[in-house]
Amino acid sequence: MNNKIKLLLVTSCLSLSMSSCIDLETAPYDRKTDLTFWTEDSLSAYEALNTCYLNLATMDEQMWSECMTDNAYTKQPSAYTQSIGNGTYSTADSYILSVWDTKYAGIRQCNEVLNNIDKVSRLSESLKNRYIGEAKFIRAYHYYELYTKFGDVPYFTNVITVAESKELARTPKSEIVTNILADLDEIINNNYLPNSYGSNDKGRAAKWAAMALEAKIYLFEGNWQKVKELTSEIMNKGSFSLYPSYSGLFEISSEGNSEVILDAQYRPVSREHNIMYSFLPPSMGGYSQLSPLQELVDSYIMLNGKNIKDAQSGYDENNPYRDRDPRLAATVMYTGNSYTLADGSTKIINCAPGQGQDGYGVTSDCSATGYYVKKYWDKTYRQSLLSGLNPILIRYADILLMNAEANAELGQLDASIWNATIRPIRERAGFTQASALDFPSTSKNQLIQIVRNERRSELAMEGLRHKDIMRWKIAEQVLNGYCHGIKTGEAIGTDNGYVRVENRQFDAQKHYLWPIPQHERDLDANLTQNSNW
């Protein structure tokens, strides 16, 4: 039997050796492989580029990041951002590792496109440049997210092997910033990206998105003149405008409106998130793992434009939500506020201690702060609170706020600039009193604080607060000590009657940069660690 098997094998081998049409590297005929993917047709680059957008950003990432700030708190101790918010995280933090992994996976996808696009046949020069522009934009976005959190990180622009990945060293942050700004300049100056897209290309990065990202990088770096120049060009030459309704801006029916510069694409059924389960009250089917803080609520000004701590504001602690910035009601759910349902009716929520199904302290499903999230509530959700609502990554109001901040820092914020930036934002929000709309004649430092607070109120729960408190270097002021929930009036477990939610700590010598994940350092001995970790 053995001799017969040997004879059969020899015969088969001889037959194979005499055949000139068989090649071990021959690609299968029934599917695409690495051997044929890039050379088969012009759709290859398009399909590969589409996968790059999937890792651009997510609704979960945007909203959970708020719990690392003085805007929100999560009672979920594992897998999310609680430890980062309270300062107890370590080099083994799972969320930090997930951010590292996700961003580098996205960078690899972009490098795959950029390294192989020259192989694609029948691709026009203009379309090829557009694809290059999109891939470089997304890669720059990922590196921006990485360096703003970790500082120096490995930087590369080619697809690397596993062996190469274990030998990478960290690239100085300054070099990364220079490189990604150069990529964005290339995209913008050579018009790789169009000013806008048709209805079949929703969610793609256009020229203005590249310019806005460049402005954000300069904003983080404190280059106010460049921020002013870039945002002014978007304001003067772009076709964007504030959407008339602040609350409507975050509804699925108004996606892709005149204010949206870039959003992450979801779609009912085919790609959905269920973030609402994490922020809605129990009576709406939620578990409320993610809750706004009293510190956020207190930051909203009065309708007359005054801070609630101002003796002339008219603020009444016993009626705290009356005559407040309308954006508070559009962002935070408090007692007496309501959700609009799909049939047009409203669901009024009672957050009062021990009251009803949603009241503070009633069950473990209730909010840990006595507040729920309203922004990004999607009344069109499917079963299990699944939603296809897009998170907005860059919008026109942010451009106006960046412009106002840059001018304030330069000492150039005057009535004309205020009327082109802050005033229309407040008018859209619903302010009508001159004391809130007119330019405040005050000091440079006070103007900076007014603009910063306006930014917080306008963009709350949109994932931007963490970068702001990091670049302003105020984290040790706002992330140390107890954060708070609603006023219960109790003497125990409160500060002046406001619930103590969590005792936080922020070490300015350590926490302005996240640690390089120990898991990555175990794989790559060339990765150094940030100071004091």
Side-chain angles (χ1 to χ4, degrees):
M1 178 66 70
N2 286 342
N3 289 335
K4 289 182 179 179
I5 293 174
K6 289 179 180 178
L7 179 61
L8 181 60
L9 289 173
V10 170
T11 305
S12 299
C13 290
L14 287 171
S15 298
L16 286 172
S17 66
M18 291 185 290
S19 175
S20 61
C21 61
I22 301 297
D23 187 341
L24 292 178
E25 294 297 318
T26 297
Y29 301 109
D30 60 341
R31 63 187 182 276
K32 290 184 178 181
T33 70
D34 288 344
L35 294 173
T36 61
F37 180 81
W38 296 101
T39 59
E40 192 167 88
D41 56 51
S42 59
L43 286 177
S44 301
Y46 181 78
E47 292 171 355
L49 185 59
N50 285 346
T51 66
C52 295
Y53 279 96
L54 293 177
N55 270 337
L56 180 62
T58 66
M59 177 68 88
D60 280 15
E61 181 182 7
Q62 184 184 81
M63 297 202 71
W64 286 115
S65 75
E66 293 288 305
C67 301
M68 303 186 293
T69 78
D70 51 343
N71 277 356
Y73 165 78
T74 175
K75 63 188 178 186
Q76 175 61 267
S78 62
Y80 296 115
T81 55
Q82 185 191 83
S83 63
I84 303 175
N86 63 31
T88 63
Y89 58 110
S90 71
T91 59
D93 188 270
S94 59
Y95 181 81
I96 289 176
L97 178 60
S98 73
V99 171
W100 179 282
D101 286 346
T102 301
K103 300 310 172 189
Y104 275 114
I107 289 167
R108 181 182 178 85
Q109 290 171 326
C110 294
N111 287 342
E112 287 276 8
V113 173
L114 294 167
N115 288 179
N116 290 285
I117 196 166
D118 286 336
K119 301 175 184 177
V120 181
S121 60
R122 299 188 300 278
L123 194 62
S124 69
E125 191 69 17
S126 61
L127 192 55
K128 175 183 174 181
N129 286 338
R130 196 195 96 185
Y131 290 168
I132 290 173
E134 290 181 72
K136 286 192 173 183
F137 167 85
I138 297 171
R139 186 175 67 188
Y141 193 100
H142 288 311
Y143 275 122
Y144 164 68
E145 289 293 327
L146 284 167
Y147 95 75
T148 55
K149 293 177 173 66
F150 297 97
D152 301 346
V153 295
Y155 176 86
F156 48 92
T157 57
N158 292 308
V159 177
I160 59 175
T161 65
V162 173
E164 289 171 330
S165 71
K166 294 180 179 181
E167 297 178 352
L168 292 171
R170 296 169 69 188
T171 306
K173 187 197 84 167
S174 59
E175 184 177 332
I176 297 170
V177 171
T178 297
N179 288 337
I180 60 179
L181 286 174
D183 279 347
L184 292 170
D185 278 337
E186 177 191 0
I187 294 167
I188 296 165
N189 295 337
N190 292 297
N191 294 313
Y192 282 177
L193 300 176
N195 288 341
S196 61
Y197 292 91
S199 59
N200 292 329
D201 285 308
K202 293 179 180 179
R204 294 190 177 278
K207 172 186 175 181
W208 307 112
M211 197 171 291
L213 177 57
E214 191 166 26
K216 284 179 172 290
I217 294 168
Y218 281 120
L219 186 77
F220 197 86
E221 298 306 304
N223 190 329
W224 307 116
Q225 186 60 39
K226 290 296 293 184
V227 174
K228 177 180 178 178
E229 292 172 4
L230 286 161
T231 54
S232 294
E233 185 168 356
I234 296 172
M235 292 163 61
N236 295 329
K237 297 182 180 179
S239 58
F240 303 100
S241 61
L242 296 176
Y243 188 69
S245 167
Y246 180 78
S247 59
L249 177 63
F250 306 99
E251 296 179 0
I252 201 166
S253 60
S254 58
E255 287 180 341
N257 61 71
S258 62
E259 187 167 344
V260 177
I261 297 176
L262 183 70
D263 56 357
Q265 296 298 295
Y266 285 83
R267 182 179 296 175
V269 183
S270 62
R271 189 194 183 199
E272 298 175 312
H273 53 78
N274 67 340
I275 192 67
M276 289 192 296
Y277 174 72
S278 297
F279 71 64
L280 286 175
S283 65
M284 300 284 287
Y287 174 45
S288 187
Q289 299 174 68
L290 193 165
S291 309
L293 287 167
Q294 185 68 44
E295 282 75 11
L296 172 62
V297 173
D298 288 348
S299 71
Y300 288 90
I301 60 176
M302 302 293 290
L303 285 176
N304 58 20
K306 297 184 182 297
N307 187 286
I308 65 169
K309 294 180 181 179
D310 189 320
Q312 305 301 314
S313 69
Y315 175 70
D316 181 0
E317 193 175 22
N318 296 315
N319 196 356
Y321 315 118
R322 185 183 64 188
D323 295 335
R324 300 290 294 279
D325 182 338
R327 290 170 295 190
L328 171 59
T331 304
V332 177
M333 183 57 60
Y334 49 78
T335 296
N337 201 359
S338 62
Y339 295 99
T340 299
L341 307 182
D343 62 4
S345 63
T346 58
K347 170 72 174 179
I348 300 175
I349 302 299
N350 186 355
C351 308
Q355 299 294 308
Q357 189 177 353
D358 302 324
Y360 173 78
V362 172
T363 69
S364 62
D365 289 351
C366 294
S367 168
T369 69
Y371 295 107
Y372 299 94
V373 176
K374 186 174 182 181
K375 184 180 283 188
Y376 279 128
W377 150 249
D378 177 16
K379 63 186 177 183
T380 68
Y381 72 90
R382 295 194 308 121
Q383 70 272 15
S384 303
L385 295 174
L386 292 171
S387 169
L389 178 62
N390 296 342
I392 302 173
L393 306 181
I394 307 174
R395 59 186 178 95
Y396 187 55
D398 191 4
I399 301 300
L400 299 181
L401 288 163
M402 285 195 283
N403 185 272
E405 183 178 347
N407 277 288
E409 292 282 357
L410 292 167
Q412 299 171 0
L413 180 55
D414 57 17
S416 63
I417 295 171
W418 173 276
N419 290 338
T421 57
I422 304 300
R423 184 184 182 108
I425 288 175
R426 288 190 175 181
E427 287 177 333
R428 188 268 297 276
F431 287 92
T432 58
Q433 297 183 38
S435 55
L437 296 176
D438 292 346
F439 175 67
S441 297
T442 186
S443 69
K444 174 183 174 180
N445 287 339
Q446 288 176 317
L447 283 174
I448 290 172
Q449 295 307 315
I450 289 171
V451 172
R452 287 183 178 185
N453 194 71
E454 190 71 23
R455 183 173 179 83
R456 183 180 189 182
S457 300
E458 175 71 20
L459 303 173
M461 307 309 295
E462 296 180 46
L464 301 178
R465 178 68 175 171
H466 185 256
K467 281 191 179 61
D468 285 344
I469 64 175
M470 293 294 119
R471 65 186 178 86
W472 291 333
K473 294 294 186 287
I474 63 169
E476 64 265 37
Q477 301 170 30
V478 302
L479 292 178
N480 265 317
Y482 280 102
C483 58
H484 300 87
I486 61 171
K487 185 177 182 179
T488 64
E490 297 291 332
I492 299 175
T494 71
D495 288 320
N496 298 319
Y498 290 90
V499 174
R500 287 178 169 179
V501 175
E502 181 179 50
N503 194 7
R504 292 175 161 183
Q505 55 184 331
F506 186 93
D507 183 349
Q509 303 303 313
K510 179 179 182 180
H511 290 145
Y512 273 109
L513 290 177
W514 286 0
I516 304 301
Q518 187 59 45
H519 176 269
E520 298 302 309
R521 297 190 69 221
D522 290 341
L523 296 173
D524 181 358
N526 292 325
L527 288 178
T528 57
Q529 186 55 278
N530 283 321
S531 299
N532 299 313
W533 281 102

